[in-house]
Amino acid sequence: LLAQEAGLKVRGHPGSVPQPATHSDVAPEPNSSTGLVQVSLQGTPHQVTGTVQGSTPVLQQVNGATFKQPAPLSGPLLIYRAKASDPSALATLTGLLSRAGAQLLSYHSSSTVAGEQWSVVGLSAPLSNLGELKPHVIEAFQLHL
């Protein structure tokens, strides 16, 4: 329901029979609060794992790349995937933020998978144009949660 209110389309697992929503008042077992979701961003499917810490949802893993410190999912966010050997994306991003008068509030990077790394950046305000960043990343998304 929360995802639908945020404008996200929610579907069951491909091939699954739709089931009515259910809940249980039983406390979850340890480590069972983690959820796996498949999301499509600009038509590209991604598997993400996350949980809730306090009242804030956090991202733990994207497509097998794990965040050592879970990345909080709140406010304006920039999520991008880049080659781990190329630090130019972060340098370009800080220049964009400076020119836009925005601040980098948090930065979380994932483990490296197949030479690539995911980054989740908390921003004080969304960026109006990612054109300068795009040559330095494989893909980038802005969200406001």
Side-chain angles (χ1 to χ4, degrees):
L1 182 61
L2 294 173
Q4 290 172 342
E5 287 175 2
L8 300 173
K9 292 180 184 175
V10 178
R11 293 185 295 156
H13 186 273
S16 69
V17 177
Q19 299 292 322
T22 61
H23 75 280
S24 171
D25 294 329
V26 177
E29 295 295 320
N31 299 323
S32 68
S33 62
T34 299
L36 173 67
V37 177
Q38 182 164 322
V39 296
S40 272
L41 298 170
Q42 297 178 346
T44 304
H46 298 285
Q47 285 194 346
V48 296
T49 303
T51 190
V52 177
Q53 292 181 346
S55 62
T56 304
V58 295
L59 182 62
Q60 296 172 308
Q61 192 176 77
V62 178
N63 296 343
T66 303
F67 290 89
K68 187 174 182 178
Q69 294 295 320
L73 298 176
S74 63
L77 296 171
L78 172 65
I79 301 174
Y80 66 87
R81 180 170 54 112
K83 296 218 175 282
S85 60
D86 183 2
S88 65
L90 184 57
T92 301
L93 176 60
T94 56
L96 282 171
L97 289 169
S98 176
R99 287 188 292 285
Q103 296 175 331
L104 188 148
L105 302 178
S106 65
Y107 177 84
H108 292 81
S109 62
S110 74
S111 59
T112 301
V113 173
E116 298 174 351
Q117 198 170 30
W118 286 90
S119 295
V120 177
V121 184
L123 304 173
S124 62
L127 294 169
S128 61
N129 187 348
L130 296 178
E132 192 177 327
L133 180 64
K134 290 193 177 187
H136 303 280
V137 300
I138 297 161
E139 58 186 324
F141 312 100
Q142 282 196 102
L143 307 169
H144 191 102
L145 302 171

